Amino acid sequence: AQSVSQHNHHVILSEAASLELGCNYSYGGTVNLFWYVQYPGQHLQLLLKYFSGDPLVKGIKGFEAEFIKSKFSFNLRKPSVQWSDTAEYFCAVMLDTGRRALTFGSGTRLQVQP
Amino acid sequence: DTGVSQNPRHKITKRGQNVTFRCDPISEHNRLYWYRQTLGQGPEFLTYFQNEAQLEKSRLLSDRFSAERPKGSFSTLEIQRTEQGDSAMYLCASSYALSYENGGYTFGSGTRLTVV
């Protein structure tokens, strides 16, 4: 069965620092990749997604992610974080098999200090 | 469009009792999903519907769990004879089958179940 690993469980940064959150998945076939964000007290929201094409995808709020197939990775980046980026971030995989269930990682809690 | 609505927001129940949660998806979405999220973990897939048909169930969905979507609109998730291990956030999401690539799912805010 496929799995998703997020190695950073809790990250603390100062405003304006650069962010990179790791995401690795285990599945040998074609995958669709997602990053979701959950702000305190709010529902999960889609940040960005990769289905095919350019492996560098841009999402909302200045976030981007790079799909590196050889490394089974889909790391999330932002050059300069803001206090409002404080949230929990989840990486997710959807297999390109017609099945529409998402497999999520365990999440990374990001705390941005002003 | 009010998004995906879940009720109740919180439910506290005694072990052994039955509970039922409701999810109202975005009206034009024909797919509906249930996930469960425990503390410190990401959401785990439970089941999904396309219209009124339940197309897939996870092995996490024991016999005590049942989900329905009788008219292809709202859905209910019932847990019978609740156990403390059922304590979790139950999330509902919806999507439109032919356009999931454009936006992925829309999640609701969840129902937090506490079994005491």
Side-chain angles (χ1 to χ4, degrees), chain B residues 7-35:
Chain B
N7 289 288
R9 293 294 301 274
H10 304 275
K11 178 70 176 178
I12 300 174
T13 191
K14 292 184 178 180
R15 189 175 54 184
Q17 298 294 304
N18 299 344
V19 293
T20 300
F21 311 139
R22 177 178 170 127
C23 171
D24 288 89
I26 292 173
S27 56
E28 61 266 29
H29 285 180
N30 57 356
R31 284 193 171 172
L32 186 148
Y33 310 80
W34 285 99
Y35 283 77

Side-chain angles (χ1 to χ4, degrees), chain A residues 6-13 17-24 35 56 63-68 71 73-81 89 108-110:
Chain A
Q6 293 182 244
H7 305 294
N8 315 103
H9 298 293
H10 191 193
V11 173
I12 302 174
L13 294 173
S18 63
L19 170 72
E20 181 160 3
L21 301 182
C23 173
N24 289 88
W35 275 96
L56 184 63
F63 287 91
E64 65 179 29
E66 184 175 13
F67 171 49
I68 304 179
K71 295 184 177 180
S73 70
F74 190 55
N75 292 355
L76 181 70
R77 300 195 292 248
K78 185 171 185 178
S80 176
V81 295
Y89 293 81
T108 297
R109 180 168 296 178
L110 172 65

Side-chain angles (χ1 to χ4, degrees), chain B residues 4 6 23 31-35 91-95 105-108:
Chain B
V4 177
Q6 291 190 247
C23 171
R31 284 193 171 172
L32 186 148
Y33 310 80
W34 285 99
Y35 283 77
L91 298 170
C92 178
S94 69
S95 71
Y105 298 178
T106 301
F107 279 90

Side-chain angles (χ1 to χ4, degrees), chain B:
Chain B
D1 178 4
T2 56
V4 177
S5 176
Q6 291 190 247
N7 289 288
R9 293 294 301 274
H10 304 275
K11 178 70 176 178
I12 300 174
T13 191
K14 292 184 178 180
R15 189 175 54 184
Q17 298 294 304
N18 299 344
V19 293
T20 300
F21 311 139
R22 177 178 170 127
C23 171
D24 288 89
I26 292 173
S27 56
E28 61 266 29
H29 285 180
N30 57 356
R31 284 193 171 172
L32 186 148
Y33 310 80
W34 285 99
Y35 283 77
R36 181 174 69 187
Q37 186 176 17
T38 53
L39 202 61
Q41 299 298 317
E44 296 173 294
F45 171 75
L46 293 178
T47 188
Y48 93 92
F49 294 83
Q50 179 156 321
N51 300 313
E52 65 274 10
Q54 190 173 18
L55 296 186
E56 186 173 351
K57 292 195 295 185
S58 162
R59 282 172 287 182
L60 293 175
L61 213 64
S62 76
D63 291 344
R64 297 184 296 106
F65 288 70
S66 62
E68 293 182 343
R69 193 181 183 199
K71 296 183 180 179
S73 57
F74 73 92
S75 175
T76 58
L77 178 68
E78 180 183 17
I79 309 174
Q80 296 181 326
R81 305 181 303 282
T82 52
E83 301 172 356
Q84 286 188 322
D86 297 332
S87 295
M89 177 75 85
Y90 289 84
L91 298 170
C92 178
S94 69
S95 71
Y96 184 60
L98 296 182
S99 65
Y100 78 97
E101 293 90 344
N102 295 326
Y105 298 178
T106 301
F107 279 90
S109 297
T111 294
R112 182 171 296 283
L113 173 66
T114 302
V115 181
V116 298

